[in-house]
Every structure is written in C-alpha cells, then in structure tokens.
Amino acid sequence: MEPPSDFSPAVLAPQTRSITELDELVVHCRACPRLVAWREETALVKRRAFQDQEYWARPIPGFGPHDARLVLVGLAPAAHGGNRTGRIFTGDPSGDLLYASLHRLGLANRPESTWRGDGLRLHGVRITDPVRCAPPENKPTNAERDTCRPWIVREFEELRPTVRAVVALGGFAWQALLPVLAAAGWQVPRPKPVFGHGAHAVLPATDGGPEMHLFGCFHVSPRNTYTGRLTPAMVDDLLREAATAAGLGLT
C-alpha cells in the first residue's frame, strides 16, 4: 500500500485490508511532528555509536504472527531499542527480559533479540505498541497517543478471529488499551478495571463472539527490574497465566 502525501492514521488505518498492509503503511507515518523530529534527531546524534548497523528511526510495526492468540502491548519504542533496531523490544534490556521469558515458556524460538531479521520467531504471540515512535523522555503526550490509536485499533480488528488475551505492560499501556479494545469490538466494564501487576479483567465481545482476557503486568523496564519490583519469575508467571487464558499450549 503506497503511502500518500497527506498522511492521516485515522483515514488510512481503516483502509488496510490485512496486518501486512498495516505494517507496511505504519512505518511511513509522520503524523506527529514532535515524535518525527525526536526519532530522527536521536538517530542522527547516536548513529556513530552503532555505525555497524542501520539506525531505523521510523515508526515500529507490530511483531509476531497475524493469527496470534496472545498480544503483548508496551508503551512506545525505546530510543536506542526499537528506534535503532527496527523491531519492538529489540536491542535493549526490556527486550532481553521479555524475550527470555517467552523463550522459557516455549513462545519464542530463541531467548535473545538483537536486531530485526535475527531469526527470532514468536509462537502464538504478537507484540505491539499504542505509540509507534520513540518519544522524548519515554513520555508520549495524550494527543500523540490518540493520533496513533487508529493503527492499533485496526491491528486488533484484524486479530479478532484468533486473539483471546492481551497483556498491558505498564499503566500507560493499560489506559491506552481500554478505548482500543472498545473500538475493536469488546465491552469495557464499568467502572473501568484498575491497572496493577496481576490485574485481570474479562471483556465480553459486543457481537457475542469470544471474550477477551485483559492482564496487567509491570513494565519490563530496567527501572522496575533493577529495583526488584519486577522479577523474571513474576514475568514468567504472568505470561504463563495469560498464555493459558489465550489457549496456547506451553512447553
């Protein structure tokens, strides 16, 4: 799908007919001027430190199979993780923890994630973000989150036939996900479920189809892991519970 000059996620995302088209289109998005300037300036300044590889510096598409039963949702690409490597949770400590856990559970074919195209494959799991560009200080604005929302809404619409559970990695992802899931066809309870590590809510489908299991997990960031707030065992246990709810067989 060729990117038009007048780029609007709200207009273009609904026009995509598959996750493949969505992924191809999202990498051309320039809808948020602050994020475009930040991701490209970061690449320009830091490129010398990674001169052996190409610095991505574009929006990050989701990663994983198009018929996933479990979806993990983060915050936004890291400045020198996904923004550098071109794949979500890749090349930074957060990804080191997350992919190692998925590998231990038999949901990834290898425990390391170093660069797009390194051979990493996920089994039944897809990973995505509500904001597709690296933000300054890792803090997207509400306006940037809302501008980016059509991409992830369309992603969940395409995943509806198979997805049965979603894990929000952090409070930002949890809050961003609630309107996304509502727009994609699930009923959000009232009052809205509150985020916490191990939080679990079941969202009925608006059309009587399969329900969605929503889980909360502390973000897999160094800030949480280095302080012991989140341990590998906690991540394993949470992902195991979510994968079981999704109907994935674990090794």
Side-chain angles (χ1 to χ4, degrees):
M1 194 172 189
E2 289 297 322
S5 56
D6 184 14
F7 207 108
S8 169
V11 172
L12 296 177
Q15 297 179 12
T16 58
R17 294 168 295 179
S18 67
I19 289 181
T20 298
E21 281 193 359
L22 184 76
D23 289 347
E24 291 174 350
L25 191 58
V26 72
V27 301
H28 299 285
C29 187
R30 301 180 67 86
C32 298
R34 188 183 77 117
L35 298 186
V36 171
W38 171 256
R39 78 191 191 209
E40 294 178 357
E41 176 65 18
T42 299
L44 182 64
V45 171
K46 295 294 185 178
R47 196 182 301 273
R48 292 181 181 178
F50 305 101
Q51 55 185 314
D52 59 326
Q53 293 174 312
E54 176 193 356
Y55 211 111
W56 178 258
R58 285 177 279 171
I60 304 297
F63 172 58
H66 298 179
D67 59 352
R69 297 187 67 87
L70 172 63
V71 177
L72 312 183
V73 178
L75 189 163
H80 307 307
N83 191 53
R84 174 176 65 89
T85 64
R87 190 173 64 203
I88 192 168
F89 282 115
T90 295
D92 63 11
S94 297
D96 292 343
L97 174 63
L98 184 61
Y99 288 117
S101 179
L102 290 172
H103 182 258
R104 285 192 293 271
L105 296 174
L107 299 174
N109 69 325
R110 54 187 292 175
E112 305 92 8
S113 175
T114 58
W115 194 259
R116 66 184 185 278
D118 62 5
L120 176 66
R121 295 190 305 276
L122 302 182
H123 308 306
V125 179
R126 185 169 173 86
I127 307 179
T128 192
D129 276 337
V131 177
R132 303 303 176 110
C133 296
E137 299 180 353
N138 208 33
K139 295 179 180 179
T141 67
N142 289 343
E144 290 162 348
R145 175 203 63 198
D146 295 346
T147 298
C148 205
R149 181 177 296 153
W151 298 126
I152 191 171
V153 169
R154 186 71 188 118
E155 194 169 10
F156 270 95
E157 288 175 343
E158 286 292 332
L159 288 165
R160 269 202 86 187
T162 58
V163 66
R164 299 294 179 265
V166 57
V167 176
L169 298 169
F172 181 93
W174 181 275
Q175 294 302 324
L177 259 176
L178 296 178
V180 168
L181 296 176
W186 288 277
Q187 298 176 21
V188 176
R190 299 284 184 177
K192 293 179 180 179
V194 177
F195 173 75
H197 185 81
H200 179 202
V202 180
L203 283 58
T206 56
D207 61 359
E211 61 193 13
M212 172 73 83
H213 291 264
L214 169 63
F215 292 88
C217 178
F218 290 152
H219 197 280
V220 289
S221 65
R223 177 180 298 178
N224 285 333
T225 57
Y226 293 168
T227 61
R229 186 177 188 229
L230 183 68
T231 66
M234 291 169 65
V235 177
D236 287 359
D237 289 345
L238 192 288
L239 293 184
R240 183 180 293 107
E241 182 180 2
T244 300
L248 290 173
L250 301 180
T251 58

